[in-house]
Amino acid sequence: MAGNAAAVYPAAVHVARLHPAGRGISAYALSRGAGISYPSAHRLSRAGGPFGRMHADTLDWLCTFFRVQPGALMEWAPGRRRH
């Protein structure tokens, strides 16, 4: 990215809202259950938390853990900027 331009990520990831109890999920539980690193789980478990890019394997692990299609995890959000 050149200069001071903010990076644009036109997709938002919504993991917190998928927890069956409707109250989000802890980073620890997400990390252990989905098999992803704790730092990634921490960012994903926070509503609106910053997340720049996601590998296909991570998306697969999350879909398997929550038993959902990728569309349940991701939302297109044009103009969303990472700060």
Side-chain angles (χ1 to χ4, degrees):
M1 195 107 294
N4 291 331
V8 176
Y9 297 102
V13 180
H14 301 285
V15 168
R17 71 179 181 197
L18 292 175
H19 192 269
R23 62 177 183 269
I25 186 168
S26 73
Y28 178 79
L30 182 59
S31 174
R32 299 287 293 186
I36 61 177
S37 71
Y38 184 84
S40 291
H42 184 267
R43 285 190 303 274
L44 286 168
S45 66
R46 305 294 174 251
F51 203 83
R53 76 185 96 117
M54 183 180 299
H55 292 276
D57 287 344
T58 303
L59 182 58
D60 182 50
W61 295 329
L62 290 170
C63 289
T64 300
F65 176 68
F66 287 110
R67 296 178 175 253
V68 297
Q69 293 294 318
L73 289 170
M74 303 180 83
E75 173 186 12
W76 184 58
R80 179 185 171 112
R81 295 194 181 278
R82 179 178 179 195
H83 301 285

